[in-house]
Amino acid sequence: MTPLDDAPRNDAPEDTAPTCSAKGCRDAAAWVLAWNNPKLHTPERRKTWLACEEHREHLSQFLGVRGFLKDVVKLDEWIVSNKEG
């Protein structure tokens, strides 16, 4: 074991705000788009994309036309509901 083995790792920043899932966007996420692909996932399974205000509608439409979109929830509400459940 070397001294570096005990050193804390900084692979990722500790306090990073969630960002939009739209390609190239680094804006803060404000929405959670819950979805699933019925060909791959069980009906209760939910995958999530995050969206800023600007990209919420575009990402929702992308998932919606494919029949994947299940719910759109404000990020703060999603966090609270997942802590409670």
Side-chain angles (χ1 to χ4, degrees), residues 73-84:
V73 181
K74 290 286 269 178
L75 178 60
D76 56 348
E77 294 172 16
W78 181 268
I79 292 169
V80 169
S81 69
N82 283 303
K83 283 184 179 179
E84 292 173 354

Side-chain angles (χ1 to χ4, degrees), residues 24-81:
C25 183
R26 295 290 149 235
D27 290 345
W31 296 91
V32 175
L33 285 63
W35 63 277
N36 81 4
N37 180 339
K39 292 183 180 179
L40 301 176
H41 307 119
T42 59
E44 65 279 352
R45 172 95 189 263
R46 292 294 180 265
K47 304 285 283 180
T48 56
W49 280 357
L50 301 177
C52 65
E53 291 291 342
E54 181 180 351
H55 292 112
R56 179 182 59 88
E57 187 62 31
H58 172 75
L59 293 173
S60 294
Q61 287 179 356
F62 180 90
L63 293 168
V65 298
R66 290 160 177 79
F68 295 173
L69 186 63
K70 302 302 178 193
D71 204 3
V72 178
V73 181
K74 290 286 269 178
L75 178 60
D76 56 348
E77 294 172 16
W78 181 268
I79 292 169
V80 169
S81 69

